[in-house]
Amino acid sequence: MRNPTTAADRAPRHGPAVRVVIVTLDSHLASATERARQTLLPEIPGLTISLHAAATWASEPHLLEACRRDIATGDIIIANMLFMEDHIEAVLPALEARRESCDAMVCCLSAGDVMRQTRIGKFRMAGEQSGIIALLKRLRGSANNKEKDSGARQMAMLRRLPKILRFIPGTAQDVRAYFLTLQYWLAGSDDNIANMIRLLVGRYADGHRKALRGKLATVPPAEYPEVGLYHPRLGKGSGHPITESLAALPRQPGGA
C-alpha cells in the first residue's frame, strides 16, 4: 500500500530531496511511518517516505508498479518480510538494478535472494565475512530449536550486538547500523521509525544529500514489553503509555 501523503509531489522543497522507500509484507506500520515522517520534516524538509505492502500487489497491480518506480529513484531503500516467491520475483530485479546507485539498501527478515541485496556503507551481504553471516544465522535460529525461550534469546542477542560492535572500527560500524535498523523496525513505533530514518540518512546520505551526514541525532531503539499494560495517562508523565507494573498505573483518589 503506497501511502499517498508521502508521495514525492507533496513534499516541501526547502532542503535536499531525500527519498526513503520501504517495501514490506503489509501496511501495519503505515500510520506510524507517516507520523514519523511528519516528525522528521523540520529536520529533513525534503523528505519523502513511501511504504509499499506486498500483500496488495496481487489484487492491485498498479501498486506494484508504483513500488517499482519508487525503488528506481529511492535514496534509502529498506526491504523486509519478503518471503513469498511471487513477492520476491516482483521486486528483486528492481532492487538489483538500484542497489549500486542508491545511498543505502537494507534488506532484512527476508529470503536469501533479498537479503543479499544489502549494501550499507562498506558492508555487503553478498559474499560477506563469515563472522557476519554466522551472527545472522544465530539470530535466525534453527528449525530444530524448540526451546521456549529461543525467541527471547535471539532478541537479547540483537540488543547486545550494537553495543559490542560500537567499539570495533571499519565495516563493523556499518554492520552495527544494519542491526540497529533491524531493532528499530522490529519494535516499530513512531519514535523508532523516525530514529531508524535519522540513522540511515545521517550516516549514508550521499550526493547533494551528503550535507545531512552527521547532522541528525538519534537515540537507541526504544524497547517495549512483549506483555504489558496500556494506559493513555501514562504517556503524559513518562512519554510511554505502556508499563509492565501494576503499581505504575495512574490512580484516581478513591478509585479501586
Side-chain angles (χ1 to χ4, degrees):
M1 179 173 131
R2 189 171 192 266
N3 190 333
T5 62
T6 62
D9 58 352
R10 297 194 183 191
R13 294 298 177 196
H14 306 303
V18 181
R19 295 158 297 198
V20 176
V21 181
I22 301 173
V23 185
T24 187
L25 177 62
D26 55 41
S27 59
H28 76 282
L29 287 180
S31 296
T33 300
E34 170 57 15
R35 290 191 294 270
R37 184 191 71 89
Q38 294 174 2
T39 298
L40 290 168
L41 281 177
E43 303 167 55
I44 316 172
L47 176 68
T48 63
I49 307 174
S50 57
L51 187 147
H52 300 273
T56 65
W57 296 341
S59 58
E60 301 180 81
H62 67 282
L63 295 180
L64 172 57
E65 291 306 314
C67 177
R68 289 169 174 161
R69 286 195 300 270
D70 283 349
I71 291 173
T73 59
D75 301 314
I76 303 290
I77 300 171
I78 303 162
N80 60 66
M81 300 302 293
L82 299 177
F83 292 104
M84 297 178 63
E85 187 174 347
D86 54 341
H87 294 166
I88 296 167
E89 291 178 351
V91 295
L92 186 59
L95 293 172
E96 291 175 334
R98 186 60 178 169
R99 178 181 56 204
E100 300 303 322
S101 52
C102 64
D103 297 349
M105 182 175 291
V106 184
C107 303
C108 51
L109 302 171
S110 296
D113 287 346
V114 177
M115 298 272 284
R116 282 188 284 273
Q117 304 311 310
T118 294
R119 183 184 67 81
I120 176 170
K122 296 179 180 179
F123 172 53
R124 292 169 177 265
M125 191 73 73
E128 255 308 332
Q129 301 94 332
S130 59
I132 303 299
I133 300 302
L135 287 174
L136 289 170
K137 287 181 177 179
R138 287 184 65 186
L139 278 176
R140 183 180 63 187
S142 169
N144 297 323
N145 187 352
K146 297 183 179 181
E147 294 181 27
K148 292 182 180 179
D149 62 346
S150 62
R153 288 185 180 181
Q154 290 165 25
M155 288 303 298
M157 181 181 175
L158 176 60
R159 287 190 288 267
R160 284 197 304 269
L161 280 172
K163 298 175 183 177
I164 298 170
L165 291 169
R166 67 181 298 181
F167 300 108
I168 305 174
T171 307
Q173 294 309 301
D174 298 318
V175 177
R176 179 175 183 266
Y178 179 89
F179 284 124
L180 282 171
T181 300
L182 178 56
Q183 198 174 340
Y184 280 126
W185 182 261
L186 284 173
S189 66
D190 305 12
D191 290 340
N192 276 338
I193 291 175
N195 279 301
M196 177 183 73
I197 293 170
R198 287 187 185 103
L199 170 71
L200 295 174
V201 173
R203 185 174 176 88
Y204 301 105
D206 207 353
H208 65 279
R209 300 167 297 281
K210 203 166 185 176
L212 292 166
R213 286 198 186 186
K215 300 291 180 62
L216 304 172
T218 63
V219 298
E223 298 178 13
Y224 303 102
E226 292 186 17
V227 178
L229 298 163
Y230 167 83
H231 196 290
R233 291 207 302 277
L234 277 175
K236 293 182 179 179
S238 65
H240 197 319
I242 301 174
T243 182
E244 296 177 273
S245 170
L246 279 171
L249 292 178
R251 298 182 181 275
Q252 294 182 353

